[in-house]
Amino acid sequence: VKIVGMVPALGCAAPSNSAELRGNVALIQRGECFFKEKVLHAQEAGATAVIVTNIPGQDGEDRSALVMADSYDIPQSITIPSMCVGSTVGGVLWELILENVDVLVTFPVVFLS
């Protein structure tokens, strides 16, 4: 599965590159809207998963573990896996996809009861 940068990168609107996202992992930048909205736009475009990258220099540090909060204003269910990575890892991912380098991504499976 290929990682594809979402356009627009913030993912706060329906993507203009839905055809590229279909069947692939969407890479989205953090900011401006809820995580759930970002993931929902990618899901509706046919992405199989989402990676949200943190903002470089946010609060003067690279936060690698963020909680992706729910938004009760968005009633649709998210059915694809999603995760957030720090700005260092995110920056590398953005560079690699811009250079058309294939990246292997593994999502851990966690069951919540």
Side-chain angles (χ1 to χ4, degrees), residues 1-5 20-21 23-27 47-51 105 107:
V1 177
K2 184 177 177 182
I3 298 178
V4 176
E20 290 177 77
L21 291 170
N24 291 306
V25 175
L27 189 64
T48 58
V50 170
I51 299 172
V105 178
F107 280 85

Side-chain angles (χ1 to χ4, degrees), residues 3 15 32 39 47-48 54 56 60 102:
I3 298 178
E32 293 191 16
V39 177
T48 58
N54 200 12
D102 291 333

Side-chain angles (χ1 to χ4, degrees), residues 25-67:
V25 175
L27 189 64
I28 304 174
Q29 292 177 348
R30 181 179 179 211
E32 293 191 16
C33 64
F34 288 106
F35 290 114
K36 187 172 183 179
E37 185 175 350
K38 295 172 183 295
V39 177
L40 183 61
H41 285 302
Q43 176 178 291
E44 289 174 343
T48 58
V50 170
I51 299 172
V52 178
T53 63
N54 200 12
I55 302 164
Q58 177 85 10
D59 297 329
E61 60 183 89
D62 180 22
R63 296 181 182 195
S64 58
L66 294 171
V67 175

Side-chain angles (χ1 to χ4, degrees), residues 81-83 107-113:
S82 58
M83 64 183 288
F107 280 85
V109 177
V110 178
F111 295 98
L112 302 176
S113 57

Side-chain angles (χ1 to χ4, degrees), residues 4-19:
V4 176
M6 195 154 155
V7 179
L10 288 170
C12 297
S16 61
N17 64 333
S18 293

